[in-house]
Amino acid sequence: MVSYIQAPPTAHPGAPSPIKATGRTLNWGVVSTGRIVGRVIADLQSLEDANVMAVSSRSEKRARAFADEHDIEWAYGSHDAMFAEPEIDAVYIGTPHGQHFEIAMSALKSGKHVVCEKSLTVNADEARALVAEAHERELFLMEAVWSRFTPAFGRALDILESGELGEPSWVQADLGFLAPYDPTWRLYDPAAGGGALLDMGVYPLTWAIGAFGFPTSVQASCDLNEDGVDIQTAITLGYSGVRHAQLMVSLTSSPTKEARIACTNGWLGTNAPLHNPTKLFIHPADGPARTEVFEPVGENFTFEFREATRCIQQGLNESPTMPWEHSINTMAIFDGIRHQLGIRYPNDLVAR
């Protein structure tokens, strides 16, 4: 089997801890004081060659409180003010999807390397514009799909590529949680890129891409709420040959949150959650089943930050594990799904 996603160096067995330095220390700024940044920050700070020196928010008061809580020196009530600080090398963006394009573009124009949460943007046109800017300025840009960088995912790719289980035939993956309706919450706000698809879709899709690459056909169905965001979406991906993927994301239920890849000589599955599994279940058709266990490092965001740091230190503009083409192709898939389902966001009305 061809490997469609290249695992980073730290995902391989026997690799040094992702905490260990791989070069010069980088000064980081973080954008937003929201929940995801609160989860991620400790993993970034754990890197020996990362110095998180600044945080920005639309509220200087919130930024200062976050900075004090996480032992960060500088706090800004403006993202652009933080980007203007010459000592900052790179920024991590953890705002809602609808804000990613404007903030990431501003950071790139200010000469900063950018690691931006998934989904990278709201649509493919925005993703192409960010990539063009990063390319022109010779800056690093990476979508932070943390699943791709973890040892469990890398090991799954190795098992599939080894041929032990034969050729992959279908992928089944689901992700979701019960999200009580709140029109002010980003998950239900069209301006924020709300809905199950952009919030969770990349994770089940990552397992399909890992097994088959990008699809030749995409079909989807969904339930839309009164705000025009998808609260549950089913996706079927088609490929040449006998290969299919069935993906589900939901804000209305709590599913298995697992991925399973069926092959011609057995199958491979994950425990929950599929975006950060700690176990792989391998079931060869002609041999005993086994379970492989993976100990997390922090919350496992550490691996994506090690890869970003390594790439910046080595002068790379994109990560081989999360190349720009994959981010653009992913957004194009989501654009096609949204077109099928009639989902439109304010960002779609702006020419990029």
Side-chain angles (χ1 to χ4, degrees), residues 215-291:
T216 56
S217 66
V218 180
Q219 295 180 317
S221 62
C222 82
D223 298 294
L224 296 178
N225 75 353
E226 60 194 42
D227 300 307
V229 302
D230 63 302
I231 56 176
Q232 183 162 271
T233 297
I235 305 166
T236 299
L237 306 179
Y239 298 82
S240 61
V242 185
R243 301 184 300 171
H244 291 84
Q246 296 174 311
L247 316 177
M248 174 70 77
V249 288
S250 177
L251 298 175
T252 65
S253 61
S254 185
T256 66
K257 304 180 180 69
E258 297 172 353
R260 182 175 296 179
I261 302 173
C263 305
T264 55
N265 194 42
W267 61 272
L268 176 153
T270 73
N271 68 337
L274 61 80
H275 53 281
N276 187 28
T278 57
K279 294 179 181 179
L280 293 178
F281 308 113
I282 302 97
H283 288 254
D286 54 4
R290 68 182 188 276
T291 299

Side-chain angles (χ1 to χ4, degrees), residues 9-351:
T10 48
H12 297 297
S17 166
I19 293 172
K20 296 296 183 182
T22 52
R24 68 181 179 90
T25 295
L26 301 180
N27 292 327
W28 288 83
V30 295
V31 176
S32 177
T33 58
R35 183 184 64 85
I36 183 61
V37 180
R39 287 186 62 199
V40 164
I41 189 70
D43 281 8
L44 176 55
Q45 290 175 315
S46 73
L47 270 60
E48 293 177 347
D49 45 2
N51 175 31
V52 181
M53 65 187 307
V55 59
S56 66
S57 170
R58 288 174 295 182
S59 163
E60 187 172 357
K61 182 178 179 181
R62 286 198 298 269
R64 184 70 265 166
F66 187 92
D68 290 343
E69 179 183 357
H70 297 281
D71 195 27
I72 299 172
E73 183 178 0
W74 297 338
Y76 294 87
S78 160
H79 306 316
D80 287 341
M82 185 178 75
F83 299 156
E85 172 51 57
E87 291 189 42
I88 294 175
D89 301 303
V91 297
Y92 164 75
I93 300 171
T95 61
H97 322 306
Q99 301 172 25
H100 285 178
F101 175 80
E102 297 294 346
I103 294 173
M105 182 62 77
S106 179
L108 291 169
K109 287 182 179 296
S110 298
K112 308 305 180 189
H113 303 291
V114 172
V115 175
C116 183
E117 265 306 329
K118 57 78 195 167
S119 59
L120 179 62
T121 55
V122 165
N123 56 51
D125 284 345
E126 290 184 338
R128 293 187 189 99
L130 289 183
V131 165
E133 190 71 22
H135 176 73
E136 180 180 347
R137 295 179 180 272
E138 298 184 343
L139 291 167
F140 181 78
L141 170 67
M142 187 183 84
E143 183 179 11
V145 183
W146 61 319
S147 307
R148 287 187 175 227
F149 305 92
T150 61
F153 185 73
R155 175 60 179 152
L157 296 181
D158 287 343
I159 293 170
L160 293 175
E161 192 170 7
S162 74
E164 173 189 358
L165 301 177
E167 288 296 317
S169 181
W170 61 261
V171 173
Q172 189 175 50
D174 63 73
L175 188 60
F177 62 100
L178 184 60
Y181 176 70
D182 179 351
T184 66
W185 192 6
R186 67 170 182 84
L187 288 174
Y188 292 105
D189 181 4
L197 179 65
L198 291 193
D199 190 67
M200 292 178 281
V202 70
Y203 293 129
L205 179 63
T206 294
W207 286 94
I209 295 171
F212 301 140
F214 285 90
T216 56
S217 66
V218 180
Q219 295 180 317
S221 62
C222 82
D223 298 294
L224 296 178
N225 75 353
E226 60 194 42
D227 300 307
V229 302
D230 63 302
I231 56 176
Q232 183 162 271
T233 297
I235 305 166
T236 299
L237 306 179
Y239 298 82
S240 61
V242 185
R243 301 184 300 171
H244 291 84
Q246 296 174 311
L247 316 177
M248 174 70 77
V249 288
S250 177
L251 298 175
T252 65
S253 61
S254 185
T256 66
K257 304 180 180 69
E258 297 172 353
R260 182 175 296 179
I261 302 173
C263 305
T264 55
N265 194 42
W267 61 272
L268 176 153
T270 73
N271 68 337
L274 61 80
H275 53 281
N276 187 28
T278 57
K279 294 179 181 179
L280 293 178
F281 308 113
I282 302 97
H283 288 254
D286 54 4
R290 68 182 188 276
T291 299
E292 297 188 9
V293 180
F294 305 84
E295 291 296 325
V297 179
E299 292 206 43
N300 266 5
F301 297 106
T302 318
F303 293 96
E304 69 181 2
F305 286 119
R306 168 51 55 212
E307 173 66 0
T309 299
R310 180 190 71 84
C311 290
I312 294 170
Q313 290 166 340
Q314 295 182 6
L316 302 178
N317 292 344
E318 57 183 312
S319 164
T321 300
M322 188 71 245
W324 293 341
E325 181 183 14
H326 284 204
S327 291
I328 292 171
N329 287 349
T330 295
M331 294 316 305
I333 289 173
F334 291 163
D335 284 356
I337 290 171
R338 292 198 296 115
H339 180 74
Q340 289 182 40
L341 303 178
I343 302 170
R344 298 290 182 269
Y345 295 126
N347 291 44
D348 298 327
L349 303 177
V350 181

